């Protein structure tokens, strides 16, 4: 059991409050102030829980999480408990949905890149609204600093019904794009600003990279039109003697050492990774084979993913793809 005592300011009344779990091993059951909120069994999936209906604003609250590994087993050491980060997220009723942006670059050349930004808006209020969505693309410097002036911008409007959502696709062009590759991992960020009634309701940043990938019969994998020999490893999520709990710097060190050895590809054996791994691979230049689970309806251990497959594989796959689809490092999905 884990218990977190925290206070939500009274000024946040009317806002939505979520707990975002990057991973919890395993069979997570979440409670808020003694009320059952929800469950997510697969310990490698990231998931969101809506705490809003159970919160006391301007008072102390208790978030309780129960984990159970007696029902879970793998062919490797999976760890136990809350071993990845947990985030408290507060939004207005009208906001970009969880993992609600999807960026594609269907046309890429040295002269220009087409960038399509699909934004899912949620309106969790009792009234329909007209939302204005501003999209700005900024460069990210190698040191992580976001450029002040956008390199491309657009604006759109959308009507969003009460207690409903909508998807808006915005099309932008980046002139003379700096492409992402393993030697020069150039990155951008799409900043989505949502306004309702002239007031900003949400601001949502989506880091991404501009690159073109191909799998060809003639010469294999191509990145930005050039053949790339994949020198890869299959890495489990644990950090050796440091254990299974996420340590950001230790994970970065692993990627740096492998890069120095000549490695340029990483398979997330055998499960969704910590999101920080993909951030690091984006930043340092490592392509990723992003894996879902180790087995389907037939397991390799008595308490393996086969126990979850029938009821949960679509939810787990959906969470994996929606969370990770904007990372330029991810070039292969593995099922």
């Amino acid at each position: 059991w884990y218990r977190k005592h925290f206070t939500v300011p009274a000024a946040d009344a009317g806002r939505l409050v979520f707990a975002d779990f990057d991973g919890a091993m395993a069979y997570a059951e979440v409670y808020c102030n003694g009320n059952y909120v929800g469950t997510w069994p697969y310990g490698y999936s990231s998931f969101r829980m809506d705490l809003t209906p159970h919160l006391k604003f301007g008072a102390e609250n208790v978030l309780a999480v129960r984990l159970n590994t007696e029902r879970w087993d793998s062919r490797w050491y999976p760890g136990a408990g809350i071993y990845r980060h947990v985030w408290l997220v507060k939004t207005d009723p009208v906001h970009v949905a969880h993992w609600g942006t999807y960026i594609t670059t269907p046309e890429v050349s040295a002269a220009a890149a087409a960038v399509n930004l699909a934004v899912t808006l949620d309106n969790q209020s009792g009234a329909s609204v007209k939302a204005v969505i501003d999209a700005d693309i900024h460069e990210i410097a190698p040191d992580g600093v976001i450029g002040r002036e956008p390199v491309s911008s657009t604006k759109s409007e959308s009507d969003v019904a009460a207690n409903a959502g909508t998807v808006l696709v915005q099309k932008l062009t980046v002139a003379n794009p700096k492409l992402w590759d393993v030697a020069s991992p150039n990155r951008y960020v799409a900043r989505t600003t949502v306004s309702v009634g002239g007031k900003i309701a949400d601001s949502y940043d989506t880091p991404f990279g501009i690159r073109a990938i191909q799998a060809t019969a003639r010469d294999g994998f191509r990145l930005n039109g050039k053949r790339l020999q994949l020198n890869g490893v299959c890495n489990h999520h644990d950090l050796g003697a440091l254990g299974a709990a996420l340590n950001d710097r230790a994970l970065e060190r692993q990627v740096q050492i492998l890069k120095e050895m000549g490695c340029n590809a990483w398979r997330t054996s055998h499960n969704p990774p910590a999101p920080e791994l993909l951030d690091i691979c984006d930043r340092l230049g490592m392509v990723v084979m992003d894996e879902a689970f180790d087995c389907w309806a037939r397991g390799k251990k008595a308490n393996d993913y086969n126990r979850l497959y029938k009821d949960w594989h679509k939810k787990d796959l959906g969470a994996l793809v929606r969370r990770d689809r904007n990372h330029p490092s991810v070039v292969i999905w593995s099922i």
Side-chain angles (χ1 to χ4, degrees):
W1 279 97
Y2 294 81
R3 285 178 176 83
K4 174 72 174 179
H5 294 253
F6 63 103
T7 299
V8 180
D12 283 333
R15 304 192 79 197
L16 305 176
V17 181
F18 305 96
D20 286 1
F21 293 80
D22 287 346
M25 189 69 66
Y27 288 88
E29 297 175 4
V30 179
Y31 301 83
C32 183
N33 294 326
N35 300 291
Y36 175 72
V37 179
T39 187
W40 203 290
Y42 191 30
Y44 294 106
S45 280
S46 297
F47 58 92
R48 165 170 284 187
M49 292 290 172
D50 187 355
L51 308 182
T52 316
H54 313 293
L55 285 175
K56 295 179 288 186
F57 292 88
E60 184 178 83
N61 297 269
V62 182
L63 180 65
V65 183
R66 181 179 189 265
L67 286 306
N68 178 4
T69 51
E70 291 182 354
R71 301 169 58 195
W72 178 258
D73 199 6
S74 302
R75 297 181 296 122
W76 58 89
Y77 172 62
I82 299 178
Y83 68 105
R84 291 180 182 166
H85 297 315
V86 183
W87 310 92
L88 193 70
V89 179
K90 297 188 288 188
T91 74
D92 281 3
V94 180
H95 59 276
V96 177
H98 189 215
W99 303 321
T101 55
Y102 179 28
I103 294 176
T104 53
T105 54
E107 299 174 20
V108 177
S109 71
V115 179
N116 293 345
L117 170 61
V119 179
T120 301
L121 285 182
D122 276 352
N123 177 10
Q124 293 182 243
S125 74
S128 61
V129 300
K130 182 179 291 291
V132 177
I133 301 94
D134 289 280
D136 297 304
I137 295 177
H138 300 257
E139 287 188 25
I140 302 179
D143 60 2
V145 175
I146 296 174
R148 180 173 297 178
E149 296 299 324
V151 296
S152 186
S153 299
T154 191
K155 181 192 293 280
S156 305
E157 289 186 359
S158 180
D159 293 318
V160 191
N163 298 308
T166 190
V167 178
L168 186 74
V169 178
Q170 297 173 299
K171 298 181 181 294
L172 302 96
T173 300
V174 175
N176 305 310
K178 296 180 179 178
L179 302 186
W180 186 94
D181 62 34
V182 294
S184 301
N186 298 299
R187 295 180 300 145
Y188 294 84
V189 63
R191 178 161 292 164
T192 302
T193 304
V194 182
S195 300
V196 176
K199 295 181 179 179
I200 293 177
D202 197 9
S203 183
Y204 191 97
D205 282 0
T206 308
F208 72 102
I210 297 174
R211 50 54 167 168
I213 61 174
Q214 292 174 292
T216 68
R218 180 172 176 270
D219 57 4
F221 180 74
R222 290 180 181 176
L223 179 61
N224 299 324
K226 299 179 181 178
R227 183 181 187 275
L228 179 67
Q229 177 68 41
L230 300 181
N231 301 317
V233 295
C234 297
N235 249 40
H236 288 242
H237 84 276
D238 67 276
L239 296 165
L242 295 182
L246 176 68
N247 181 308
D248 294 40
R249 173 60 194 133
L251 196 57
E252 180 183 55
R253 177 177 173 272
Q254 282 190 345
V255 178
Q256 289 173 330
I257 291 173
L258 288 169
K259 287 277 291 186
E260 291 168 1
M261 292 168 58
C263 176
N264 63 10
W266 181 305
R267 174 188 172 207
T268 69
S269 312
H270 302 274
N271 42 258
E276 286 76 15
L277 172 66
L278 301 180
D279 293 337
I280 293 166
C281 290
D282 289 348
R283 180 164 49 85
L284 298 183
M286 178 87 75
V287 299
V288 174
M289 180 180 187
D290 202 345
E291 195 148 285
F293 24 68
D294 187 43
C295 57
W296 290 11
R298 288 187 296 174
K300 299 169 184 176
K301 303 281 283 185
N303 292 331
D304 213 331
Y305 192 82
N306 62 298
R307 295 186 58 169
L308 301 174
Y309 181 80
K310 180 180 178 181
D311 295 329
W312 282 90
H313 75 274
K314 289 184 180 180
K315 298 174 186 175
D316 286 321
L317 279 171
L320 169 71
V321 173
R322 284 193 296 271
R323 190 195 71 173
D324 296 348
R325 58 191 172 182
N326 295 315
H327 288 278
S329 58
V330 175
V331 298
I332 308 172
W333 301 102
S334 168
I335 56 173

